[in-house]
Amino acid sequence: MKNFRDYMFKSYGRFDYTPQDCFNFHESIASEVVPILNDLSLERKQQLKVSDLRPWDKAVDPLGREPLKAFENGNDLTEKSIESFKRLDPFLGQCLSIMKEMGHLDLESRKGKAPGGYNYPLSEIGVPFIFMNATSTMRDMTTIMHEGGHAIHNFLTKDLSLADFKSPPMEVAELASMSMELISMDTWDIFFPDAEDLKRAKREQLEDIIETLPWVATIDQFQHGLYEKPDHTSEERTQLWNKVLARFSDSVTDWSGLEANRDTLWQKQLHLYEVPFYYIEYGMAQLGAHSVVA
Ligand SMILES: [Zn+2]
């Protein structure tokens, strides 16, 4: 192989798309999504009434409101999630109910519990379990919608004859879960009976997606650059990073004085270290989820 990237494409069995297809995807994100990112940042800057929008200004509610509260406790979250799934389709509600009856929903955070949140398939019995550390935030609510999407996928594939058929390829592994986050939005009034809260929750969810796609492109394009030039110096690598980051970031945020932090921002993305070239899939799945809903 010419480089590690080409090797990884073969190793992942990517027979139906090429690096060039990834570059085209990046280009679409740069031209279609980044302008929205700019609009959102400008709006945020005005709402916060700050002269410069600093990176940390992105992590607060622009109107100074308290965080949204989606439910009271683990039981409440379970009941409301079943209700939400049931309203979408009785079968979906039934899947979650079965998991509840079997003790397969371990949702609430407690002292000494391992961190994280995931759905884990159990191929022999066909009923998965969901492990989470919920408190009462909106993020916890979207997490169970997401994991619930994985769970439904497990129910639907449990009777396939070969276990290997039950796991989808990487490009669509997050398709059912990301779709469920969006499909379930029609029932979020169960979690947010107040009309203003409901609107805010939906907006936050959609803004999240607007921010995710450019980040996916950033990490993916940086990775291509890294392995196309395996012998660049750490200075050249930093230059590459900043060039890629600037392409997919809003041009409103002021990083002055924080250059050292910006230069190393890529290091927070564990995929670059642990699963090289597994990242574009999040963008593909998100796009797929949009097509499902549209
Ligand atoms: Zn997932």
Side-chain angles (χ1 to χ4, degrees), residues 7 13 55 59 62 84 92 108 118 137 154 170 183 185 216 269 287:
Y7 167 75
S84 154
L92 304 182
E108 218 164 7
Y118 54 85
T137 65
N154 295 150
M170 289 160 92
I183 293 169
M185 282 172 85
V216 169
Q269 197 62 57
L287 213 54

CSV table of all heavy atoms in Angstrom, one decimal, residues 7 13 55 59 62 84 92 108 118 137 154 170 183 185 216 269 287:
chain,number,residue,atom,x,y,z
A,7,TYR,N,-4.2,1.1,3.3
A,7,TYR,CA,-4.3,-0.2,4.0
A,7,TYR,C,-5.6,-0.3,4.8
A,7,TYR,O,-6.3,-1.3,4.8
A,7,TYR,CB,-3.1,-0.4,4.9
A,7,TYR,CG,-3.2,-1.5,5.8
A,7,TYR,CD1,-3.1,-2.8,5.4
A,7,TYR,CD2,-3.5,-1.3,7.2
A,7,TYR,CE1,-3.2,-3.9,6.2
A,7,TYR,CE2,-3.7,-2.4,8.1
A,7,TYR,CZ,-3.5,-3.7,7.6
A,7,TYR,OH,-3.7,-4.7,8.4
A,13,GLY,N,-12.7,-3.3,4.7
A,13,GLY,CA,-13.6,-3.8,3.7
A,13,GLY,C,-14.4,-2.7,3.0
A,13,GLY,O,-15.6,-2.9,2.6
A,55,PRO,N,-14.3,30.5,23.1
A,55,PRO,CA,-14.7,29.0,23.0
A,55,PRO,C,-15.6,28.6,24.1
A,55,PRO,O,-16.6,27.8,23.9
A,55,PRO,CB,-13.4,28.3,23.1
A,55,PRO,CG,-12.4,29.3,22.6
A,55,PRO,CD,-12.8,30.6,23.0
A,59,ALA,N,-20.5,26.8,25.5
A,59,ALA,CA,-20.9,25.7,26.4
A,59,ALA,C,-21.9,26.1,27.3
A,59,ALA,O,-22.3,25.4,28.3
A,59,ALA,CB,-19.6,25.2,27.1
A,62,PRO,N,-27.3,30.4,25.9
A,62,PRO,CA,-27.1,31.8,25.5
A,62,PRO,C,-28.1,32.8,26.2
A,62,PRO,O,-27.8,34.0,26.2
A,62,PRO,CB,-27.3,31.8,24.0
A,62,PRO,CG,-28.1,30.6,23.7
A,62,PRO,CD,-27.7,29.6,24.7
A,84,SER,N,-43.2,7.0,25.0
A,84,SER,CA,-42.8,7.6,23.8
A,84,SER,C,-42.7,6.6,22.6
A,84,SER,O,-43.3,6.8,21.5
A,84,SER,CB,-41.5,8.3,24.0
A,84,SER,OG,-40.7,8.4,22.8
A,92,LEU,N,-42.7,-0.9,19.2
A,92,LEU,CA,-41.5,-0.3,19.7
A,92,LEU,C,-41.7,-0.2,21.3
A,92,LEU,O,-40.7,-0.5,22.0
A,92,LEU,CB,-41.3,1.1,19.2
A,92,LEU,CG,-41.2,1.2,17.6
A,92,LEU,CD1,-40.9,2.7,17.2
A,92,LEU,CD2,-40.1,0.3,17.1
A,108,GLU,N,-30.2,4.3,36.0
A,108,GLU,CA,-29.9,5.4,36.9
A,108,GLU,C,-28.5,5.4,37.3
A,108,GLU,O,-27.9,4.3,37.6
A,108,GLU,CB,-30.8,5.3,38.1
A,108,GLU,CG,-31.3,6.6,38.7
A,108,GLU,CD,-32.5,6.4,39.6
A,108,GLU,OE1,-32.8,5.2,40.0
A,108,GLU,OE2,-33.0,7.4,40.1
A,118,TYR,N,-24.6,2.5,27.0
A,118,TYR,CA,-24.6,1.7,25.8
A,118,TYR,C,-25.8,0.7,25.8
A,118,TYR,O,-26.4,0.4,26.9
A,118,TYR,CB,-23.3,0.9,25.6
A,118,TYR,CG,-22.9,0.1,26.8
A,118,TYR,CD1,-23.4,-1.2,27.0
A,118,TYR,CD2,-22.1,0.6,27.8
A,118,TYR,CE1,-23.0,-2.0,28.1
A,118,TYR,CE2,-21.7,-0.2,28.9
A,118,TYR,CZ,-22.2,-1.5,29.1
A,118,TYR,OH,-21.9,-2.2,30.1
A,137,THR,N,-31.0,15.0,32.9
A,137,THR,CA,-30.8,16.0,31.8
A,137,THR,C,-31.4,15.6,30.5
A,137,THR,O,-31.8,14.4,30.3
A,137,THR,CB,-29.3,16.1,31.6
A,137,THR,OG1,-28.8,14.9,31.0
A,137,THR,CG2,-28.5,16.5,32.8
A,154,ASN,N,-31.8,-4.8,17.5
A,154,ASN,CA,-31.6,-6.1,18.0
A,154,ASN,C,-32.8,-7.0,18.0
A,154,ASN,O,-32.8,-8.2,17.6
A,154,ASN,CB,-31.0,-6.1,19.4
A,154,ASN,CG,-29.7,-5.4,19.5
A,154,ASN,OD1,-29.4,-4.8,20.6
A,154,ASN,ND2,-28.9,-5.5,18.5
A,170,MET,N,-20.1,-1.1,9.7
A,170,MET,CA,-19.7,0.1,10.5
A,170,MET,C,-20.5,1.3,10.0
A,170,MET,O,-20.9,2.2,10.8
A,170,MET,CB,-18.2,0.4,10.4
A,170,MET,CG,-17.4,-0.5,11.1
A,170,MET,SD,-15.7,-0.5,10.4
A,170,MET,CE,-15.0,0.8,11.5
A,183,ILE,N,-36.7,10.5,15.1
A,183,ILE,CA,-38.1,10.0,15.0
A,183,ILE,C,-38.8,10.3,16.2
A,183,ILE,O,-40.0,10.7,16.2
A,183,ILE,CB,-38.1,8.5,14.6
A,183,ILE,CG1,-37.5,8.2,13.2
A,183,ILE,CG2,-39.5,8.0,14.7
A,183,ILE,CD1,-37.3,6.7,13.0
A,185,MET,N,-38.6,12.6,18.3
A,185,MET,CA,-38.8,14.1,18.6
A,185,MET,C,-40.3,14.4,18.6
A,185,MET,O,-40.7,15.3,19.4
A,185,MET,CB,-38.1,15.0,17.6
A,185,MET,CG,-36.6,15.1,17.9
A,185,MET,SD,-35.7,15.9,16.6
A,185,MET,CE,-35.9,17.6,17.1
A,216,VAL,N,-17.0,15.9,12.4
A,216,VAL,CA,-16.7,14.6,11.8
A,216,VAL,C,-15.8,14.8,10.6
A,216,VAL,O,-14.8,14.2,10.4
A,216,VAL,CB,-18.0,13.9,11.3
A,216,VAL,CG1,-17.7,12.7,10.4
A,216,VAL,CG2,-18.8,13.4,12.5
A,269,GLN,N,-9.9,13.5,20.7
A,269,GLN,CA,-10.7,12.6,19.9
A,269,GLN,C,-10.0,11.2,19.9
A,269,GLN,O,-9.1,10.9,19.1
A,269,GLN,CB,-10.9,13.0,18.5
A,269,GLN,CG,-12.0,12.3,17.8
A,269,GLN,CD,-13.4,12.6,18.5
A,269,GLN,OE1,-13.8,13.7,18.7
A,269,GLN,NE2,-14.0,11.5,19.0
A,287,LEU,N,-26.4,11.3,8.2
A,287,LEU,CA,-27.1,11.7,6.9
A,287,LEU,C,-28.2,10.7,6.6
A,287,LEU,O,-29.3,11.0,6.2
A,287,LEU,CB,-26.0,11.6,5.8
A,287,LEU,CG,-26.1,12.5,4.6
A,287,LEU,CD1,-26.2,13.9,5.1
A,287,LEU,CD2,-24.9,12.3,3.7
